[in-house]
CSV table of all heavy atoms in Angstrom, one decimal:
chain,number,residue,atom,x,y,z
W,47,GLU,N,-3.7,20.1,32.9
W,47,GLU,CA,-3.7,18.7,32.7
W,47,GLU,C,-4.0,18.3,31.3
W,47,GLU,O,-4.8,19.0,30.6
W,47,GLU,CB,-4.8,18.1,33.6
W,47,GLU,CG,-4.6,18.3,35.1
W,47,GLU,CD,-3.3,17.4,35.5
W,47,GLU,OE1,-3.2,16.3,35.1
W,47,GLU,OE2,-2.5,18.0,36.3
W,48,PRO,N,-3.4,17.2,30.8
W,48,PRO,CA,-3.7,16.8,29.4
W,48,PRO,C,-5.2,16.4,29.3
W,48,PRO,O,-5.8,15.9,30.3
W,48,PRO,CB,-2.8,15.6,29.2
W,48,PRO,CG,-1.9,15.5,30.4
W,48,PRO,CD,-2.5,16.4,31.5
W,49,MET,N,-5.7,16.5,28.1
W,49,MET,CA,-7.1,16.2,27.9
W,49,MET,C,-7.2,15.0,27.0
W,49,MET,O,-6.3,14.8,26.1
W,49,MET,CB,-7.9,17.3,27.2
W,49,MET,CG,-7.9,18.6,28.0
W,49,MET,SD,-8.6,20.0,27.1
W,49,MET,CE,-10.3,19.5,26.9
W,50,ASP,N,-8.2,14.2,27.1
W,50,ASP,CA,-8.5,13.0,26.2
W,50,ASP,C,-9.1,13.5,24.9
W,50,ASP,O,-9.0,13.0,23.9
W,50,ASP,CB,-9.4,12.0,26.9
W,50,ASP,CG,-8.7,11.3,28.0
W,50,ASP,OD1,-7.5,11.2,28.0
W,50,ASP,OD2,-9.4,10.9,29.0
W,51,SER,N,-9.9,14.6,25.1
W,51,SER,CA,-10.7,15.1,23.9
W,51,SER,C,-11.0,16.6,24.2
W,51,SER,O,-11.1,17.0,25.4
W,51,SER,CB,-12.0,14.4,23.7
W,51,SER,OG,-12.8,15.1,22.9
W,52,VAL,N,-11.1,17.4,23.2
W,52,VAL,CA,-11.5,18.8,23.5
W,52,VAL,C,-12.9,18.9,23.9
W,52,VAL,O,-13.4,19.9,24.3
W,52,VAL,CB,-11.2,19.7,22.2
W,52,VAL,CG1,-9.7,19.8,22.0
W,52,VAL,CG2,-11.9,19.2,21.0
W,53,LEU,N,-13.7,17.8,23.7
W,53,LEU,CA,-15.1,17.8,24.0
W,53,LEU,C,-15.4,16.9,25.2
W,53,LEU,O,-16.5,16.4,25.4
W,53,LEU,CB,-15.9,17.3,22.8
W,53,LEU,CG,-15.7,18.1,21.5
W,53,LEU,CD1,-16.4,17.4,20.4
W,53,LEU,CD2,-16.3,19.5,21.7
W,54,GLU,N,-14.4,16.7,26.1
W,54,GLU,CA,-14.6,15.8,27.2
W,54,GLU,C,-15.6,16.3,28.2
W,54,GLU,O,-16.0,15.5,29.1
W,54,GLU,CB,-13.2,15.4,27.8
W,54,GLU,CG,-12.5,16.6,28.5
W,54,GLU,CD,-11.2,16.2,29.1
W,54,GLU,OE1,-10.6,15.1,28.7
W,54,GLU,OE2,-10.6,17.0,29.8
Side-chain angles (χ1 to χ4, degrees):
E47 293 294 320
M49 298 174 67
D50 292 331
S51 165
V52 295
L53 302 173
E54 66 184 12

